[in-house]
Amino acid sequence: QVQLVQSGAEVKKPGASVKVSCKASGYTFTSYDINWVRQATGQGLEWMGWMNPNSGNTGYAQKFQGRVTMTRNTSISTAYMELSSLRSEDTAVYYCASNYCSGGSCWFDPWGQGTLVTVSS
Amino acid sequence: QSVLTQPPSASGTPGQRVTISCSGSSSNIGSNTVNWYQQLPGTAPKLLIYSNNQRPSGVPDRFSGSKSGTSASLAISGLQSEDEADYYCAAWDDSLIYVVFGGGTKLTVL
């Protein structure tokens, strides 16, 4: 079935970087953009950016510009999100989601299971 | 502060009908379609409604969506205990040039 499987939980120190992976299966990886959304504990969903797996083109929310990099490896159908200069406020669950579009509308489906990133000294 | 506004909580008894509102502006809901996501406790969000009122296969017809102007609504009829979850609306924003979410509504089945 169509699914996205993410890498495991990470614990990082302030100032470090983290790289989360998202492996797609059950569909052609290059057909749909991959988006990244994060959720701090007890908080809502926050969109971070998108990446086109075919071209490698990206678009980032202004809040994360300069700190986030989204890449991919098409040979293994895997997308990556790297966030640098981590601070405690970056502690959150990070989700990847495939951006399916049809008839001029787009939506996120499926979602990965989430990766908890904890930033602590 | 979320761009789309949802009530933080909603509740109902089994069998009741509950609606959750989502208010936006002309740059998001007013000019783009709305999607709804359901997040059961401890799990990833799941697509519930897309393109304002379309249900993915497998989503019960107890769930329905609508949109009017710069607002959207999610209705759940025949409320069941397994519907207890957080619900988020989302839409593309033409001014911000990214997807915006509502703050989420926690639905409690009493």
Side-chain angles (χ1 to χ4, degrees), chain B residues 10-98:
Chain B
S11 63
T13 56
Q16 261 191 334
R17 184 176 187 270
V18 169
T19 61
I20 297 171
S21 62
C22 175
S23 177
S25 68
S26 58
S27 63
N28 42 64
I29 294 179
S31 50
N32 296 291
T33 57
V34 178
N35 305 313
W36 290 89
Y37 300 94
Q38 178 192 57
Q39 186 174 34
L40 296 169
T43 69
K46 184 191 92 168
L47 180 66
L48 188 66
I49 296 287
Y50 66 95
S51 293
N52 302 328
N53 55 19
Q54 302 299 302
R55 281 187 311 277
S57 60
V59 173
D61 59 7
R62 302 185 296 103
F63 294 90
S64 62
S66 63
K67 185 185 107 168
S68 178
T70 59
S71 294
S73 290
L74 172 70
I76 310 171
S77 60
L79 201 60
Q80 299 181 4
S81 58
E82 56 260 41
D83 299 334
E84 197 160 274
D86 293 325
Y87 293 85
Y88 293 90
C89 59
W92 180 262
D93 191 293
D94 292 335
S95 296
L96 298 173
I97 316 181
Y98 60 75

Side-chain angles (χ1 to χ4, degrees), chain A residues 81-119:
Chain A
M81 186 284 299
E82 183 170 21
L83 189 62
S84 63
S85 302
L86 290 169
R87 34 209 189 230
S88 58
E89 311 88 88
D90 294 318
T91 295
V93 176
Y94 289 76
Y95 295 102
C96 60
S98 182
N99 191 42
Y100 185 87
C101 298
S102 178
S105 297
C106 299
W107 50 89
F108 295 159
D109 184 48
W111 294 62
Q113 84 276 19
T115 297
L116 174 62
V117 175
T118 303
V119 183

Side-chain angles (χ1 to χ4, degrees), chain A residues 26-91:
Chain A
Y27 74 98
T28 302
F29 175 63
T30 51
S31 294
Y32 308 108
D33 292 353
I34 293 289
N35 284 248
W36 290 87
V37 175
R38 76 177 186 179
Q39 183 175 38
T41 302
Q43 302 301 306
L45 302 172
E46 181 177 31
W47 183 81
M48 299 179 68
W50 62 268
M51 181 201 63
N52 182 302
N54 188 43
S55 64
N57 289 343
T58 57
Y60 305 136
Q62 188 170 16
K63 175 177 180 176
F64 300 102
Q65 290 272 5
R67 282 209 303 145
V68 70
T69 304
M70 296 177 187
T71 57
R72 88 287 191 212
N73 182 334
T74 55
S75 67
I76 56 172
S77 300
T78 300
Y80 303 93
M81 186 284 299
E82 183 170 21
L83 189 62
S84 63
S85 302
L86 290 169
R87 34 209 189 230
S88 58
E89 311 88 88
D90 294 318
T91 295

